[in-house]
Amino acid sequence: MNNRRPVNRVTPRRRTAQPAARPTRRPKVTSARPTAPRDIPTGDERASRPRRKTARRVPSAGSWAPVAAAIVAAVLLAGFAVVAALRPGVPDENRAFVDTSATEEVRAAADHALRTIYGYDIAAIDGYEAAVRQVVTGDMLTDLDKFAATTVDAIRQAQTSADAEADPIGVTMLTEDRAELLVNLVVSATKEGVAQQSVAGPVVLRMQKVDGRWLASGIVDQ
């Protein structure tokens, strides 16, 4: 017999499984530029820093409309006052802005004439024509001769009374024997004590001095 050496069977070593390597995460870069640390200002630094001005909202075109209109109106009125003071086209003998006594005299005469012409009482209508003749001349006297009877008949049929108020009265031109006045005339009618219709509007009253008395010579509606 052959003497064989015993063969030692060696069991191969098992390789232990190595854990899989986890990929390493790169840090997330938020900005390529380094961020400088902010300094927290102290109370003194806050007080010394200038405050930012907040922008004011510009008003719209619609909100400016009333203001613009008021400015334009004021400018126009101021310009009108200057022109009225200079009185272009009026002769140098105009005494309306110089002779206060004469201005008040013609103003009072105009008030009386307008109240007499446009105001009447139905109870005393018979004396209306005679009263008007005392305050008119020129064209107004001619018209009175033509239409007095018709006017009185119409008043009798309507059975109304009327009151006239002339206010204000502005003297625009005044000479030795001529005057022109701008008047806001209001005529209110009544019937048996009940108010009826009223009419109001500006008129230009022309007056003429006859025998030392101011009389109404013409009225022009504006």
Side-chain angles (χ1 to χ4, degrees):
M1 293 183 64
N2 294 330
N3 292 329
R4 295 182 180 178
R5 293 181 181 181
V7 177
N8 292 332
R9 295 181 178 179
V10 179
T11 303
R13 296 180 182 179
R14 295 181 180 179
R15 295 182 180 179
T16 58
Q18 298 293 330
R22 295 181 180 179
T24 57
R25 294 183 180 180
R26 295 182 180 179
K28 188 177 180 180
V29 179
T30 58
S31 174
R33 298 179 181 178
T35 304
R38 296 183 179 179
D39 296 333
I40 301 176
T42 60
D44 295 339
E45 291 177 350
R46 290 177 181 176
S48 60
R49 289 185 179 179
R51 296 182 178 178
R52 295 181 180 178
K53 295 183 179 180
T54 57
R56 296 183 179 180
R57 182 177 298 177
V58 179
S60 61
S63 62
W64 278 108
V67 180
I71 294 174
V72 171
V75 172
L76 291 178
L77 290 176
F80 176 78
V82 172
V83 173
L86 296 177
R87 298 294 297 162
V90 176
D92 295 337
E93 61 266 22
N94 186 8
R95 300 160 57 190
F97 297 93
V98 179
D99 194 334
T100 305
S101 177
T103 301
E104 291 299 325
E105 180 185 358
V106 72
R107 184 183 283 121
D111 181 69
H112 175 64
L114 291 172
R115 288 177 181 273
T116 304
I117 297 168
Y118 290 98
Y120 52 85
D121 186 356
I122 187 62
I125 194 62
D126 292 338
Y128 172 75
E129 181 180 351
V132 174
R133 285 187 181 276
Q134 298 298 316
V135 297
V136 297
T137 188
D139 293 340
M140 293 198 70
L141 182 58
T142 302
D143 291 341
L144 180 65
D145 293 336
K146 293 179 180 179
F147 307 111
T150 305
T151 302
V152 172
D153 288 343
I155 293 173
R156 285 198 179 104
Q157 291 178 8
Q159 288 295 303
T160 57
S161 299
D163 179 67
E165 182 179 359
D167 184 43
I169 300 176
V171 182
T172 59
M173 191 271 291
L174 176 61
T175 63
E176 190 67 28
D177 60 350
R178 304 280 178 174
E180 191 172 284
L181 305 93
L182 180 60
V183 184
N184 183 49
L185 182 63
V186 181
V187 180
S188 304
T190 58
K191 183 177 182 179
E192 297 177 355
V194 180
Q196 304 296 309
Q197 64 180 359
S198 62
V199 180
V203 298
V204 174
L205 174 63
R206 296 188 178 99
M207 302 196 75
Q208 183 177 351
K209 201 169 191 178
V210 180
D211 297 332
R213 297 175 60 241
W214 285 106
L215 305 176
S217 61
I219 295 179
V220 180
D221 295 336
Q222 294 296 296

